[in-house]
Amino acid sequence: MGKEFNRDRFAELPIVGILRGFEVETVRQLVGATMAGGLRCIEVTMNSPSAVEAIGAAIEEGGDELQVGAGTVCTLEDLDQALGAGASFIVTPIVSAEVISACGERGVPVMAGALTPSEIYEAWSLGAEMVKVFPANHFGPGYLKDLRGPLPEIRLMPTGGVNAETLGEFHSAGAAAFGVGGSLFSSQAIADGRVEEAARSLVDAYEAAAGGE
């Protein structure tokens, strides 16, 4: 088991940077750039090369300043490997009752992936810390706003289509957190050395949106 997830720290800046498909050394570099830009929470997906080693590298690189979770956790085997590597929170792309329940039993927060109102309610009822609305890019902030009408108690984390330009709209629609992958770690941003800049833009966008509450 890794360090305990600090919910208060996450609430101050509820943005999860998603590292998918990167080699271990690249993960180290991207974690450094992300932190330099001000982000303090990332997930390494379990379908990445050497995912267990990559999670460990992110934890080592981030030290006490970074919260590191595991994403694309679909099975109990994935969960065991992720927690064994030190992940402090779990993200799933699907509603997996066994994974959500196991996280509850082990005291590990899980952000469960769902899309339809029924899936979202099921994930929440099973004990998800929050529900990752995925893929949010196909439905946009308006969909989140519609969901919040009948389901105001469920904390939603849109993932897919969230960037510095759209984050404010998702925030206004009621998002409790934000999952960001492609816009932060695009091949172009990495090639141009702009990951730090992209991270800082996300932080600025969140602070501007939250400051208007």
Side-chain angles (χ1 to χ4, degrees):
M1 292 285 287
K3 292 174 291 189
E4 184 176 351
F5 185 70
N6 189 317
R7 291 171 172 81
D8 291 336
R9 282 181 58 195
F10 182 68
E12 292 172 3
L13 185 63
I15 300 174
V16 180
I18 303 166
L19 289 165
R20 182 186 303 280
F22 297 108
E23 299 288 347
V24 174
E25 286 309 310
T26 304
V27 166
R28 288 186 184 277
Q29 296 167 12
L30 294 178
V31 164
T34 302
M35 293 181 67
L39 292 186
R40 293 292 180 265
C41 189
I42 64 104
E43 69 170 87
V44 176
T45 67
M46 293 302 291
N47 59 349
S48 299
S50 305
V52 168
E53 290 81 0
I55 291 170
I59 292 169
E60 183 178 332
E61 190 71 25
D64 292 336
E65 297 301 314
L66 186 71
Q67 304 206 77
V68 179
T72 317
V73 176
C74 297
T75 66
L76 291 180
E77 181 181 2
D78 291 338
L79 178 62
D80 288 340
Q81 291 181 350
L83 296 181
S88 63
F89 66 95
I90 297 298
V91 185
T92 77
I94 57 171
V95 180
S96 169
E98 63 177 9
V99 170
I100 297 171
S101 298
C103 285
E105 292 167 3
R106 302 181 196 189
V108 179
V110 55
M111 304 165 183
L115 182 61
T116 68
S118 294
E119 291 172 346
I120 289 167
Y121 185 78
E122 180 185 7
W124 183 256
S125 299
L126 287 167
E129 181 95 359
M130 60 180 61
V131 180
K132 180 180 81 169
V133 181
F134 173 80
N137 53 308
H138 293 291
F139 296 85
Y143 182 56
L144 242 69
K145 185 176 180 180
D146 289 345
L147 289 168
R148 295 278 297 164
L151 304 170
E153 74 282 6
I154 300 180
R155 302 171 70 220
L156 303 174
M157 183 175 78
T159 302
V162 180
N163 54 46
E165 287 69 42
T166 63
L167 188 147
E169 297 176 65
F170 279 110
H171 184 275
S172 296
F178 312 86
V180 186
S183 65
L184 178 59
F185 301 118
S186 69
S187 56
Q188 194 64 56
I190 294 171
D192 294 344
R194 291 189 292 103
V195 172
E196 178 181 341
E197 177 187 338
R200 187 171 293 111
S201 295
L202 286 166
V203 174
D204 291 345
Y206 176 74
E207 290 179 346
E213 291 180 332

